[in-house]
Amino acid sequence: MTALPEPGDLAIHTTGLGKSFGKRRAVNDLDLAVPRGSIFGFLGPNGAGKTTTIRMLLGLATPDSGSISLLSEPMPAAASRVLPRVGSLIEGPAFYPFLSGRSNLIRLDSANHESDASTRGRRVDAALDKVGLGKAARLAVHAYSLGMKQRLGIANALVNVRELLVLDEPTNGLDPQGTREVRHLIRVLATEGTTVVVSSHLLSEIEQTCSHVAVMSVGNLVAQGTLEEFRADGRRVVSLRTPDTGVALAVLARLGLEARQDPVPGGQDGVLDAALGPEAPEPERLVEELVAAGVRVRGFTVQAASLEERFVALTGEGFDLVQ
Amino acid sequence: MSSSGLLANEVALLFRRRRTWAMLLALGAVPVLIAVAVRLTSGPPTGRGPAFLDRVAGNGLFVAITGLLVCIPLFLPLTIAVVSGDTIAGEAGTGTLRYLLTAPVSRPRLLLVKFAVAALFALAAAAMVALCGLGIGALLFPTGPVTLLSGTTISAPAAVLRVGLVALYVAVSLLGLTMLGLFISTLTDVPVGAMAATAVLAVTAQILGQLPQLDWLHPWLFTQHWLGFADLLRDPIRWSEFGQNALLQGGYLLVFGALAYGRFASKDVLS
Ligand SMILES: Nc1ncnc2c1ncn2[C@@H]1O[C@H](COP(=O)(O)OP(=O)(O)O)[C@@H](O)[C@H]1O
Ligand SMILES: [Mg+2]
């Protein structure tokens, strides 16, 4: 949307990233730029290519094309240097069911060749406490609920101090309380200087936490920038309440607005909605024209299109936003 | 700093799994069953049943040898197939592979650690049969100086050492299969599939080894020397078969180790 930050200030920078599965293009020519210190919302409907992108970022999958710079180092070449500085949750948590939550985290941390064995237990316990699993730490994971597993997955990302956290759908399966806690945790981490990438198909997660967003749709990046830019880019919508809907429709049409009549239960007034394009006249001009044409204006509002409408406009209607 | 951290953790994990102990106990039960059966009957007539069986009643130390001999065609390979087939595919199946690799552990190191743990299991499995055999043999039968296949007699402690050597021979014999299982395990995200394929290969190789028409193939089968530990029970010990076996198993380690690395290093981890 606007000029991108300098590459040195980017925690993640991809150019022309692409990946196909057979004939299906999962990620196509992706130029992602995640500024350091941002809370970056990585948005897109199911199947948009978010997880595939994250797998490539973390060196799990090899891109067909393009390049990746993670914390200013090339991936996957520098994986063993970079990954210790990155915490991740990728397509849901995964643990050995017969081990306790704590043992699972100990095991994964012992795989990290840079982690300090002497502080391991303490770091794991602190991470478990951070996500509210302190009491369930010694319980076998098969006895965990989905939400508890999700928390454990987030705890795993927090066992070490990280410069970058990549959390793929972190609130999947969490109750509203858990969702709020995760959002809070993300904000706290960000104020401590960690860059956090949160992928989600749920818009509501993004708009409450993030400073930046990128939107993917069927493998393509369709928008990227700060949340303000993303909002401002949306069109405004006017809403008119009047009994003279016929005349009003004609007037709006003459001014180049395509109005839609909303059904209003039980009133004699009709309500017309129209999107204000960049070429549309100012709202006060609309009212002037309407009144001049004899339309009885009983209500007139101008609103920025909601983020959700913007999201749908970018990604298409074909999926359930609020599942 | 903690380069051995993962290895230690994986070893502890192996011996923490119920599955491991179920397999080890089942293996340990084999010599016990043999000993009890021999004890209850008055012992089979010479010349029938597995080799060495007729010697069991005379000296308990032979229970361990007979146990190993009975376990090596099927029971031991089956347990090796389970452990080695699970190495990578099991991690992929539970999804933990992606978290190990992003922890991060490098792919070659993960393969090495996984192989080391599976090889350790092979050693533990052979040792289990030998130890249970020695224990039950001492309990149910007379022990004492042992007459070897060459006719010479050695003391009981020296004979125990020979049993240890045979167990080591058996463990080494299983290394090729272990690496084969590891390679197969990199090919799939379904551990049961890798286990089954490995077990089938072990059986198939033994069947091929029985077909005289395939003489030319026999020296290359990893099962070729599986039953060839009799030379360790002579005086002096003849090491040639041990050497050939070690060389063959080493060749399998190199070839299938390289294949496993080639496959795993470039594999997209999508599980
Ligand atoms: N292992 C795979 N094999 C084949 N196709 C895949 C695989 N993983 C993902 N895809 C395809 O890639 C596309 C993007 O998937 P994904 O990255 O998981 O999307 P998201 O995480 O945004 O929901 C989808 O069309 C999906 O079907
Ligand atoms: Mg996904």
Side-chain angles (χ1 to χ4, degrees):
Chain A
M1 283 171 225
T2 50
L4 295 173
E6 290 297 303
D9 303 334
L10 295 176
I12 301 173
H13 189 204
T14 72
T15 42
L17 196 63
K19 177 85 186 169
S20 296
F21 295 110
K23 275 192 172 168
R24 171 173 287 163
R25 195 84 181 135
V27 176
N28 184 41
D29 198 19
L30 181 69
D31 298 328
L32 203 60
V34 177
R36 281 187 197 257
S38 64
I39 303 182
F40 193 92
F42 192 29
L43 211 55
N46 292 316
K50 306 180 297 295
T51 301
T52 305
T53 303
I54 289 171
R55 283 183 194 280
M56 289 191 284
L57 292 176
L58 300 176
L60 292 172
T62 317
D64 298 339
S65 57
S67 64
I68 301 169
S69 150
L70 198 62
L71 299 172
S72 308
E73 302 247 33
M75 279 296 287
S80 64
R81 274 202 310 281
V82 184
L83 291 181
R85 296 147 65 197
V86 181
S88 58
L89 179 72
I90 312 146
E91 193 145 78
F95 296 101
Y96 268 169
F98 58 89
L99 288 183
S100 71
R102 187 172 189 277
S103 300
N104 266 292
L105 296 199
I106 295 267
R107 169 174 141 80
L108 289 174
D109 191 64
S110 68
N112 178 351
H113 60 89
E114 280 191 14
S115 89
D116 181 356
S118 64
T119 59
R120 184 166 294 147
R122 199 159 42 71
R123 284 182 288 114
V124 164
D125 290 334
L128 286 165
D129 281 338
K130 256 188 196 165
V131 299
L133 278 182
K135 288 212 174 70
R138 307 206 176 240
L139 200 64
V141 166
H142 67 68
Y144 278 29
S145 69
L146 178 59
M148 288 163 82
K149 284 182 196 157
Q150 193 75 17
R151 286 167 191 249
L152 189 61
I154 296 171
N156 175 50
L158 303 178
V159 168
N160 283 289
V161 178
R162 313 284 197 177
E163 285 170 52
L164 172 65
L165 283 179
V166 181
L167 304 176
D168 192 10
E169 314 258 2
T171 58
N172 251 4
L174 289 185
D175 47 26
Q177 170 72 16
T179 306
R180 258 208 310 279
E181 286 169 22
V182 168
R183 269 196 217 116
H184 177 70
L185 190 62
I186 289 173
R187 282 198 208 98
V188 171
L189 289 164
T191 54
E192 289 166 3
T194 311
T195 309
V196 188
V197 174
V198 191
S199 97
S200 182
H201 64 280
L202 290 178
L203 182 84
S204 54
E205 272 184 13
I206 301 301
E207 67 175 315
Q208 299 188 28
T209 355
C210 295
S211 60
H212 292 69
V213 281
V215 181
M216 276 190 89
S217 175
V218 275
N220 292 290
L221 189 68
V222 288
Q224 174 166 237
T226 66
L227 193 65
E228 277 70 47
E229 288 168 333
F230 188 73
R231 274 189 214 279
D233 222 39
R235 298 198 207 152
R236 292 167 303 165
V237 177
V238 297
S239 175
L240 168 69
R241 193 158 62 81
T242 175
D244 311 315
T245 49
V247 189
L249 275 173
V251 172
L252 290 174
R254 180 160 53 78
L255 295 168
L257 295 187
E258 203 178 309
R260 185 162 51 94
Q261 183 158 3
D262 275 357
V264 180
Q268 5 144 267
D269 292 350
V271 171
L272 301 181
D273 291 321
L276 278 183
E279 264 96 68
E282 287 306 304
E284 57 272 23
R285 269 264 296 144
L286 292 180
V287 182
E288 226 175 276
E289 293 279 338
L290 285 165
V291 172
V295 174
R296 288 167 286 173
V297 178
R298 290 187 173 156
F300 188 88
T301 55
V302 183
Q303 281 180 323
S306 75
L307 218 49
E308 183 163 314
E309 282 162 322
R310 173 96 180 97
F311 184 49
V312 172
L314 284 169
T315 59
E317 295 269 3
F319 73 100
D320 194 3
L321 261 175
V322 282
Q323 46 177 267
Chain B
M1 181 181 310
S2 60
S3 63
S4 64
L6 182 61
L7 182 61
N9 197 284
E10 286 287 292
V11 170
L13 190 59
L14 173 71
F15 290 106
R16 224 171 125 169
R17 294 188 83 152
R18 240 180 270 168
R19 188 179 75 190
T20 307
W21 284 106
M23 292 192 297
L24 288 179
L25 289 179
L27 286 170
V30 170
V32 174
L33 281 177
I34 291 172
V36 170
V38 171
R39 182 71 215 217
L40 290 183
T41 62
S42 54
T46 40
R48 282 188 50 204
F52 308 111
L53 193 58
D54 48 353
R55 291 165 172 258
V56 164
N59 195 316
L61 286 170
F62 277 102
V63 175
I65 305 285
T66 315
L68 283 166
L69 193 71
V70 167
C71 283
I72 200 164
L74 189 63
F75 295 142
L76 279 167
L78 275 185
T79 60
I80 296 297
V82 169
V83 172
S84 66
D86 195 42
T87 46
I88 300 295
E91 300 287 352
T94 52
T96 39
L97 185 56
R98 60 178 183 270
Y99 289 113
L100 283 173
L101 293 180
T102 53
V105 53
S106 74
R107 295 183 187 208
R109 202 174 122 222
L110 184 61
L111 277 180
L112 268 180
V113 167
K114 287 290 185 183
F115 175 75
V117 172
L120 183 70
F121 176 81
L123 189 64
M128 185 75 180
V129 179
L131 287 175
C132 287
L134 287 174
I136 194 78
L139 211 64
L140 297 187
F141 301 104
T143 51
V146 174
T147 309
L148 294 174
L149 301 183
S150 53
T152 37
T153 299
I154 59 172
S155 69
V160 170
L161 210 66
R162 295 294 178 106
V163 171
L165 261 184
V166 172
L168 186 67
Y169 181 97
V170 168
V172 169
S173 296
L174 294 168
L175 290 182
L177 180 66
T178 305
M179 188 58 97
L180 207 56
L182 181 76
F183 167 59
I184 293 173
S185 195
T186 62
L187 300 178
T188 172
D189 294 348
V190 187
V192 183
M195 294 175 194
T198 309
V200 165
L201 271 181
V203 173
T204 309
Q206 291 179 84
I207 293 173
L208 295 180
Q210 309 263 313
L211 301 178
Q213 292 85 348
L214 296 176
D215 262 348
W216 54 272
L217 182 65
H218 293 174
W220 303 101
L221 292 172
F222 59 91
T223 49
Q224 176 65 8
H225 302 284
W226 273 11
L227 300 172
F229 52 72
D231 282 353
L232 299 175
L233 301 176
R234 296 179 204 284
D235 204 30
I237 296 176
R238 291 221 303 264
W239 289 100
S240 66
E241 183 127 18
F242 193 109
Q244 283 170 27
N245 185 31
L247 201 65
L248 180 69
Q249 301 299 332
Y252 269 87
L253 292 194
L254 283 182
V255 171
F256 286 95
L259 285 175
Y261 172 76
R263 163 70 187 165
F264 190 53
S266 60
K267 182 184 182 175
D268 277 349
V269 175
L270 301 171
S271 56

